[in-house]
Amino acid sequence: MEAESVVPEGPDVAPVEQEPLFRNLDIFLFSLIIGQLIYWLTTVVTPQRETSFIEKMKKTNRNMVVFYGSQTGTAEEFCGRLAKDAQRYGMSGMSADLEENDMSELPRLVEIDNSLAVFCMATYGEGDPTDNAQDFYDWMQETDEELNRVNFAVFGLGNKTYEHFNAMGKYTDKRLEELGGRRIYDLGMGDDDGNLEEDFVSWKEQFWPAVCEHFGVEATGDDTSIRQYELVFPTDINMNKVYTGEMGRLKSFETQKPPFDAKNPYLATVAVNRQLNQAGDRHLMHLELDISGSQIRYDSGDHVAVYPMNDVSIVNRIGQILDADLDTVISLNNLDEESNKKHPFPCPTTYRTALTHYLDITNPPRTNVLFELAQYATDPKDQDILRKMASASPEGKGLYQSWVLDAQRNILAVLEDMPSLHPAIDHLCELLPRLQARYYSIASSGKVYSNMVSICAVVVEFQTSTGRSFKGVATNWLKNKVVVTDNGHKATVPMYVRKSQFRLPFKASNPVVMIGLGTGIAPFMGFLQERGWMKEQGKDVGETILYFGCRHRNQDFMYQQELEEFEKVGVLTQLNVAFSRDQEEKVYVQHLLKKNNEHLWKLIHTDNAHIYICGDARNMARDVQNAFYDIAEEVGGLTHTQAVVYIKKLMTKGRYAQDVWS
Ligand code: NAP
């Protein structure tokens, strides 16, 4: 994004010959400079943080702080649960955003008796910290402050399909100990590829007894539900002050002001929405979002985040089951007045807006939600089942896995299949997690299409074991975005751009080898447009090779025309497509890579080629990496260990980059 040029206006200077005024002006300028200096010292030199978390803990009699490094909201959610649980174990907890606190205060935690800092740390991308944990990560790397035996524990959130599994959790746990912290319970490592919820529940189950033992406190045994927010019906409702789906500033969708980001998304109009596949029962789509006038800038390889809306029929059905008037204006206000988080979502708003824009009603609910909802079941058997599923017992975990996760029951399915369960809608709204923005690799080049951002995605829809249709929130919502609606309005999408590390080489003459699977072709459409543009500028553009894997030639050979055209004009020097299902034996990209092993090795080893991989994180990324090990061994004559080190080095140098999603 381009920064607006800010040229501060100076004070009007009167003609200098007027001596008295000139002296006054001198004093005026002097005080202006002093004023600016004080402002600079207080706002620039001192980081703009909330009040000290240590002071806040002292003031509110807390002895446990749970920090979160969260990208998609799950770590934040876990953090809130731990802080809330604390009461049941003789501790008094509060949750805190790493970004909003001055973490160099951490050693001072020992000023509070029996104190403890817990960290819920998500790992993002290729072992990176989440955006809100970046400063804390930098601080941990740079500091040599002594942590004075500060008590700590870490729970990491990661995904085993990624190479750097739980890198942030592991680093935080190790580094805090090196700095002199005192680990009171072992690092927990949640795996989102398995069952993150179960990992967390199992870790908590051991963590709390360790806390009780360490501090000599006892679990209260009190299992009653504790509300965090109070339901308020605003009197004197002014509909202009009621949130209707904005993420931050009220009315931000009506009066749009750059810069646009997660709290202030841009409402882009949908300029194109077309189906990419010619046949088959899936819907692969290409969308173009118009960003003209938004000042949004992006590079090829960046990601676009979109805020979807939930399916209206699910929202209505929840309202119906709970006998709620969805258009009631409400506010959920935090009972803890000291908390930075005043509401669970922008308030005041209506139940309808909350369920449509702010809450996740599509994914299976987590165990803490089931536990809290249990009190509303009038049938004791249902109460039992819900509580059991939230427990750490093997039977409970098994039931949660099969009844909720495997059956993909969302909150509506839970309510439908347990007719005696009739929760208060405001409590349900308090418990459900926030609906998160969805990220897509941008399928266009900002150099060529500065006013447009493209998305390439497949609509997620399948039948669950209960016979329901599971529809992915964002892709189904995007699919139904018509370019011009019946009443002549243009459909819009709240979006912003997130920078990535997935970048074309600095020198255009370096060869690039791109490997894209299915909709993982997306960033390479941007790369190809950009290489073509560079060629047009007369630049020396190196070899540009694409390996694309899809199911059937006549169904999902996405962008076939464009790719063949790129090949015809020489932007693509080699187009290799693996159609996995067009013959009896599977043909995958790695089979084609191996066929070209000699040429590929020359490009990598001699010509400084950059390799890019985009697609499914589960098996493909690993299998493709293995293919490169084989090439290094077979053609380069390396041993397997040397080949592994060789590819690792390419990764560190930024010459082997992955944009993989699970
Ligand atoms: P798809 O149409 O199913 O195509 C994937 C192709 O890869 C199929 O031909 C598949 O073959 C093949 N394949 C399966 N396992 C493989 C392996 N181990 N090695 C090599 N090839 C393998 O893909 P899709 O439905 O679009 O999904 C692609 C993935 O990319 C998704 O996980 C998506 O989240 C991700 N992604 C999307 C974006 C985006 O912006 N939309 C960006 C990055 C990544 P068979 O199925 O016949 O075995």
PDB file of all heavy atoms in Angstrom, residues 110-131:
ATOM      1  N   VAL A 110       7.523 -11.145  38.838  1.00  0.00           N
ATOM      2  CA  VAL A 110       7.847 -11.680  40.174  1.00  0.00           C
ATOM      3  C   VAL A 110       7.426 -10.730  41.298  1.00  0.00           C
ATOM      4  O   VAL A 110       7.389 -11.125  42.457  1.00  0.00           O
ATOM      5  CB  VAL A 110       9.360 -12.006  40.303  1.00  0.00           C
ATOM      6  CG1 VAL A 110       9.723 -13.216  39.480  1.00  0.00           C
ATOM      7  CG2 VAL A 110      10.219 -10.810  39.929  1.00  0.00           C
ATOM      8  N   GLU A 111       7.097  -9.481  40.938  1.00  0.00           N
ATOM      9  CA  GLU A 111       6.612  -8.542  41.969  1.00  0.00           C
ATOM     10  C   GLU A 111       5.259  -9.004  42.505  1.00  0.00           C
ATOM     11  O   GLU A 111       4.803  -8.550  43.550  1.00  0.00           O
ATOM     12  CB  GLU A 111       6.453  -7.129  41.366  1.00  0.00           C
ATOM     13  CG  GLU A 111       7.778  -6.481  41.009  1.00  0.00           C
ATOM     14  CD  GLU A 111       7.581  -5.189  40.198  1.00  0.00           C
ATOM     15  OE1 GLU A 111       6.457  -4.629  40.214  1.00  0.00           O
ATOM     16  OE2 GLU A 111       8.551  -4.762  39.548  1.00  0.00           O
ATOM     17  N   ILE A 112       4.600  -9.884  41.762  1.00  0.00           N
ATOM     18  CA  ILE A 112       3.276 -10.381  42.187  1.00  0.00           C
ATOM     19  C   ILE A 112       3.449 -11.788  42.754  1.00  0.00           C
ATOM     20  O   ILE A 112       4.062 -12.650  42.117  1.00  0.00           O
ATOM     21  CB  ILE A 112       2.302 -10.401  40.980  1.00  0.00           C
ATOM     22  CG1 ILE A 112       2.107  -8.970  40.470  1.00  0.00           C
ATOM     23  CG2 ILE A 112       0.971 -11.042  41.354  1.00  0.00           C
ATOM     24  CD1 ILE A 112       1.422  -8.862  39.137  1.00  0.00           C
ATOM     25  N   ASP A 113       2.927 -12.008  43.934  1.00  0.00           N
ATOM     26  CA  ASP A 113       3.090 -13.320  44.579  1.00  0.00           C
ATOM     27  C   ASP A 113       2.426 -14.409  43.758  1.00  0.00           C
ATOM     28  O   ASP A 113       1.351 -14.201  43.189  1.00  0.00           O
ATOM     29  CB  ASP A 113       2.420 -13.303  45.970  1.00  0.00           C
ATOM     30  CG  ASP A 113       3.263 -12.495  46.941  1.00  0.00           C
ATOM     31  OD1 ASP A 113       4.458 -12.277  46.629  1.00  0.00           O
ATOM     32  OD2 ASP A 113       2.712 -12.068  47.977  1.00  0.00           O
ATOM     33  N   ASN A 114       3.030 -15.576  43.779  1.00  0.00           N
ATOM     34  CA  ASN A 114       2.460 -16.754  43.115  1.00  0.00           C
ATOM     35  C   ASN A 114       1.975 -16.458  41.704  1.00  0.00           C
ATOM     36  O   ASN A 114       0.863 -16.814  41.327  1.00  0.00           O
ATOM     37  CB  ASN A 114       1.268 -17.295  43.921  1.00  0.00           C
ATOM     38  CG  ASN A 114       1.750 -17.987  45.169  1.00  0.00           C
ATOM     39  OD1 ASN A 114       2.945 -18.299  45.288  1.00  0.00           O
ATOM     40  ND2 ASN A 114       0.838 -18.220  46.093  1.00  0.00           N
ATOM     41  N   SER A 115       2.816 -15.763  40.953  1.00  0.00           N
ATOM     42  CA  SER A 115       2.338 -15.347  39.624  1.00  0.00           C
ATOM     43  C   SER A 115       2.813 -16.292  38.531  1.00  0.00           C
ATOM     44  O   SER A 115       3.790 -17.024  38.697  1.00  0.00           O
ATOM     45  CB  SER A 115       2.813 -13.932  39.328  1.00  0.00           C
ATOM     46  OG  SER A 115       4.216 -13.893  39.409  1.00  0.00           O
ATOM     47  N   LEU A 116       2.092 -16.227  37.421  1.00  0.00           N
ATOM     48  CA  LEU A 116       2.345 -17.158  36.323  1.00  0.00           C
ATOM     49  C   LEU A 116       1.990 -16.493  34.995  1.00  0.00           C
ATOM     50  O   LEU A 116       0.967 -15.815  34.886  1.00  0.00           O
ATOM     51  CB  LEU A 116       1.454 -18.397  36.533  1.00  0.00           C
ATOM     52  CG  LEU A 116       1.304 -19.397  35.394  1.00  0.00           C
ATOM     53  CD1 LEU A 116       2.638 -20.069  35.076  1.00  0.00           C
ATOM     54  CD2 LEU A 116       0.279 -20.470  35.777  1.00  0.00           C
ATOM     55  N   ALA A 117       2.881 -16.689  34.001  1.00  0.00           N
ATOM     56  CA  ALA A 117       2.573 -16.213  32.643  1.00  0.00           C
ATOM     57  C   ALA A 117       2.425 -17.429  31.738  1.00  0.00           C
ATOM     58  O   ALA A 117       3.304 -18.286  31.698  1.00  0.00           O
ATOM     59  CB  ALA A 117       3.684 -15.317  32.123  1.00  0.00           C
ATOM     60  N   VAL A 118       1.290 -17.502  31.044  1.00  0.00           N
ATOM     61  CA  VAL A 118       1.067 -18.609  30.114  1.00  0.00           C
ATOM     62  C   VAL A 118       1.021 -18.010  28.704  1.00  0.00           C
ATOM     63  O   VAL A 118       0.528 -16.892  28.517  1.00  0.00           O
ATOM     64  CB  VAL A 118      -0.258 -19.350  30.428  1.00  0.00           C
ATOM     65  CG1 VAL A 118      -0.436 -20.553  29.520  1.00  0.00           C
ATOM     66  CG2 VAL A 118      -0.291 -19.786  31.878  1.00  0.00           C
ATOM     67  N   PHE A 119       1.554 -18.754  27.749  1.00  0.00           N
ATOM     68  CA  PHE A 119       1.606 -18.267  26.374  1.00  0.00           C
ATOM     69  C   PHE A 119       0.913 -19.262  25.445  1.00  0.00           C
ATOM     70  O   PHE A 119       1.286 -20.434  25.422  1.00  0.00           O
ATOM     71  CB  PHE A 119       3.068 -18.101  25.928  1.00  0.00           C
ATOM     72  CG  PHE A 119       3.803 -17.044  26.706  1.00  0.00           C
ATOM     73  CD1 PHE A 119       4.349 -17.336  27.956  1.00  0.00           C
ATOM     74  CD2 PHE A 119       3.934 -15.757  26.212  1.00  0.00           C
ATOM     75  CE1 PHE A 119       5.002 -16.362  28.683  1.00  0.00           C
ATOM     76  CE2 PHE A 119       4.587 -14.775  26.934  1.00  0.00           C
ATOM     77  CZ  PHE A 119       5.124 -15.073  28.180  1.00  0.00           C
ATOM     78  N   CYS A 120      -0.090 -18.796  24.714  1.00  0.00           N
ATOM     79  CA  CYS A 120      -0.706 -19.636  23.680  1.00  0.00           C
ATOM     80  C   CYS A 120      -0.167 -19.112  22.354  1.00  0.00           C
ATOM     81  O   CYS A 120      -0.548 -18.030  21.897  1.00  0.00           O
ATOM     82  CB  CYS A 120      -2.233 -19.489  23.696  1.00  0.00           C
ATOM     83  SG  CYS A 120      -2.980 -20.204  25.148  1.00  0.00           S
ATOM     84  N   MET A 121       0.753 -19.873  21.773  1.00  0.00           N
ATOM     85  CA  MET A 121       1.498 -19.358  20.624  1.00  0.00           C
ATOM     86  C   MET A 121       1.199 -20.151  19.348  1.00  0.00           C
ATOM     87  O   MET A 121       1.570 -21.320  19.239  1.00  0.00           O
ATOM     88  CB  MET A 121       3.005 -19.449  20.897  1.00  0.00           C
ATOM     89  CG  MET A 121       3.464 -18.686  22.116  1.00  0.00           C
ATOM     90  SD  MET A 121       3.253 -16.903  21.964  1.00  0.00           S
ATOM     91  CE  MET A 121       4.476 -16.514  20.730  1.00  0.00           C
ATOM     92  N   ALA A 122       0.560 -19.493  18.409  1.00  0.00           N
ATOM     93  CA  ALA A 122       0.317 -20.155  17.126  1.00  0.00           C
ATOM     94  C   ALA A 122       1.521 -19.948  16.213  1.00  0.00           C
ATOM     95  O   ALA A 122       2.199 -18.929  16.295  1.00  0.00           O
ATOM     96  CB  ALA A 122      -0.930 -19.573  16.476  1.00  0.00           C
ATOM     97  N   THR A 123       1.776 -20.953  15.375  1.00  0.00           N
ATOM     98  CA  THR A 123       2.827 -20.825  14.368  1.00  0.00           C
ATOM     99  C   THR A 123       2.146 -20.549  13.053  1.00  0.00           C
ATOM    100  O   THR A 123       1.159 -21.189  12.707  1.00  0.00           O
ATOM    101  CB  THR A 123       3.646 -22.128  14.285  1.00  0.00           C
ATOM    102  OG1 THR A 123       4.260 -22.327  15.550  1.00  0.00           O
ATOM    103  CG2 THR A 123       4.710 -22.053  13.207  1.00  0.00           C
ATOM    104  N   TYR A 124       2.682 -19.602  12.317  1.00  0.00           N
ATOM    105  CA  TYR A 124       2.043 -19.202  11.069  1.00  0.00           C
ATOM    106  C   TYR A 124       2.985 -19.479   9.904  1.00  0.00           C
ATOM    107  O   TYR A 124       4.203 -19.375  10.043  1.00  0.00           O
ATOM    108  CB  TYR A 124       1.704 -17.711  11.153  1.00  0.00           C
ATOM    109  CG  TYR A 124       0.804 -17.243  10.053  1.00  0.00           C
ATOM    110  CD1 TYR A 124      -0.505 -17.685   9.983  1.00  0.00           C
ATOM    111  CD2 TYR A 124       1.269 -16.379   9.078  1.00  0.00           C
ATOM    112  CE1 TYR A 124      -1.334 -17.276   8.965  1.00  0.00           C
ATOM    113  CE2 TYR A 124       0.439 -15.952   8.054  1.00  0.00           C
ATOM    114  CZ  TYR A 124      -0.867 -16.408   8.006  1.00  0.00           C
ATOM    115  OH  TYR A 124      -1.695 -15.996   6.987  1.00  0.00           O
ATOM    116  N   GLY A 125       2.421 -19.819   8.749  1.00  0.00           N
ATOM    117  CA  GLY A 125       3.216 -20.001   7.528  1.00  0.00           C
ATOM    118  C   GLY A 125       4.376 -20.949   7.730  1.00  0.00           C
ATOM    119  O   GLY A 125       4.226 -22.035   8.290  1.00  0.00           O
ATOM    120  N   GLU A 126       5.541 -20.539   7.296  1.00  0.00           N
ATOM    121  CA  GLU A 126       6.718 -21.407   7.362  1.00  0.00           C
ATOM    122  C   GLU A 126       7.464 -21.199   8.674  1.00  0.00           C
ATOM    123  O   GLU A 126       8.614 -20.755   8.688  1.00  0.00           O
ATOM    124  CB  GLU A 126       7.633 -21.134   6.167  1.00  0.00           C
ATOM    125  CG  GLU A 126       6.970 -21.337   4.816  1.00  0.00           C
ATOM    126  CD  GLU A 126       6.416 -22.747   4.631  1.00  0.00           C
ATOM    127  OE1 GLU A 126       7.173 -23.705   4.761  1.00  0.00           O
ATOM    128  OE2 GLU A 126       5.199 -22.873   4.371  1.00  0.00           O
ATOM    129  N   GLY A 127       6.804 -21.481   9.790  1.00  0.00           N
ATOM    130  CA  GLY A 127       7.455 -21.370  11.096  1.00  0.00           C
ATOM    131  C   GLY A 127       7.518 -19.951  11.626  1.00  0.00           C
ATOM    132  O   GLY A 127       8.330 -19.645  12.500  1.00  0.00           O
ATOM    133  N   ASP A 128       6.678 -19.075  11.102  1.00  0.00           N
ATOM    134  CA  ASP A 128       6.746 -17.658  11.476  1.00  0.00           C
ATOM    135  C   ASP A 128       5.860 -17.349  12.681  1.00  0.00           C
ATOM    136  O   ASP A 128       4.903 -18.065  12.962  1.00  0.00           O
ATOM    137  CB  ASP A 128       6.261 -16.780  10.312  1.00  0.00           C
ATOM    138  CG  ASP A 128       7.054 -17.048   9.054  1.00  0.00           C
ATOM    139  OD1 ASP A 128       8.271 -17.237   9.168  1.00  0.00           O
ATOM    140  OD2 ASP A 128       6.440 -17.098   7.961  1.00  0.00           O
ATOM    141  N   PRO A 129       6.168 -16.212  13.359  1.00  0.00           N
ATOM    142  CA  PRO A 129       5.243 -15.767  14.404  1.00  0.00           C
ATOM    143  C   PRO A 129       3.992 -15.178  13.755  1.00  0.00           C
ATOM    144  O   PRO A 129       4.041 -14.769  12.593  1.00  0.00           O
ATOM    145  CB  PRO A 129       6.030 -14.662  15.120  1.00  0.00           C
ATOM    146  CG  PRO A 129       7.052 -14.199  14.155  1.00  0.00           C
ATOM    147  CD  PRO A 129       7.349 -15.335  13.224  1.00  0.00           C
ATOM    148  N   THR A 130       2.915 -15.136  14.494  1.00  0.00           N
ATOM    149  CA  THR A 130       1.711 -14.466  13.985  1.00  0.00           C
ATOM    150  C   THR A 130       1.991 -12.962  13.980  1.00  0.00           C
ATOM    151  O   THR A 130       2.924 -12.504  14.640  1.00  0.00           O
ATOM    152  CB  THR A 130       0.519 -14.761  14.905  1.00  0.00           C
ATOM    153  OG1 THR A 130       0.872 -14.321  16.232  1.00  0.00           O
ATOM    154  CG2 THR A 130       0.209 -16.251  14.952  1.00  0.00           C
ATOM    155  N   ASP A 131       1.180 -12.211  13.259  1.00  0.00           N
ATOM    156  CA  ASP A 131       1.439 -10.764  13.169  1.00  0.00           C
ATOM    157  C   ASP A 131       1.529 -10.129  14.548  1.00  0.00           C
ATOM    158  O   ASP A 131       2.409  -9.310  14.805  1.00  0.00           O
ATOM    159  CB  ASP A 131       0.312 -10.069  12.381  1.00  0.00           C
ATOM    160  CG  ASP A 131       0.344 -10.452  10.910  1.00  0.00           C
ATOM    161  OD1 ASP A 131       1.364 -11.037  10.481  1.00  0.00           O
ATOM    162  OD2 ASP A 131      -0.648 -10.188  10.203  1.00  0.00           O
TER     163      ASP A 131
END
